[in-house]
Amino acid sequence: QVQFVESGGGLVQPGGSLRISCVASGIIFSIDGAGWWRQAPGKVREWVAHISSGGTTTYAGTVKGRFTISRDSAKNTVYLQMTNLKPEDTAVYYCNKYWGDRGWGQGTAVTVSS
């Protein structure tokens, strides 16, 4: 059974930084790759970033240059370091396999507000 547990969200001021984490069971991120998605209130879930099994990273245009996806293979954990946060980054953030083709966890809520 595949499970994702996201953590680390919270309230941050515009321009601030935050790192969120995701631990997986039932898959291996270093083999299956990983990605982050987010869903803002009233909007559909959108892709944010990918990290391939080989470590290649790709980003949505809206976060490129501000967000960094990384992986700790020993802990089977993937991270999303977010900097220069904007109010439009407010959303619930989810992780999944590279193509997002597994069930979704509960996510971790990030609120950017002054």
Side-chain angles (χ1 to χ4, degrees), residues 32-57:
D32 297 306
W36 283 97
W37 286 257
R38 67 185 181 185
Q39 186 167 16
K43 295 188 177 180
V44 299
R45 186 178 289 136
E46 64 174 0
W47 167 73
V48 174
H50 275 151
I51 183 166
S52 72
S53 57
T56 300
T57 57

Side-chain angles (χ1 to χ4, degrees), residues 21-88:
S21 305
C22 172
V23 178
S25 58
I27 67 161
I28 299 175
F29 280 139
S30 60
I31 295 175
D32 297 306
W36 283 97
W37 286 257
R38 67 185 181 185
Q39 186 167 16
K43 295 188 177 180
V44 299
R45 186 178 289 136
E46 64 174 0
W47 167 73
V48 174
H50 275 151
I51 183 166
S52 72
S53 57
T56 300
T57 57
T58 52
Y59 300 91
T62 52
V63 306
K64 193 172 185 179
R66 301 188 297 122
F67 289 11
T68 302
I69 187 171
S70 61
R71 179 180 69 212
D72 185 332
S73 298
K75 296 180 179 179
N76 203 32
T77 298
V78 65
Y79 304 96
L80 189 67
Q81 177 70 50
M82 304 180 287
T83 63
N84 191 21
L85 282 159
K86 304 176 181 180
E88 51 264 42

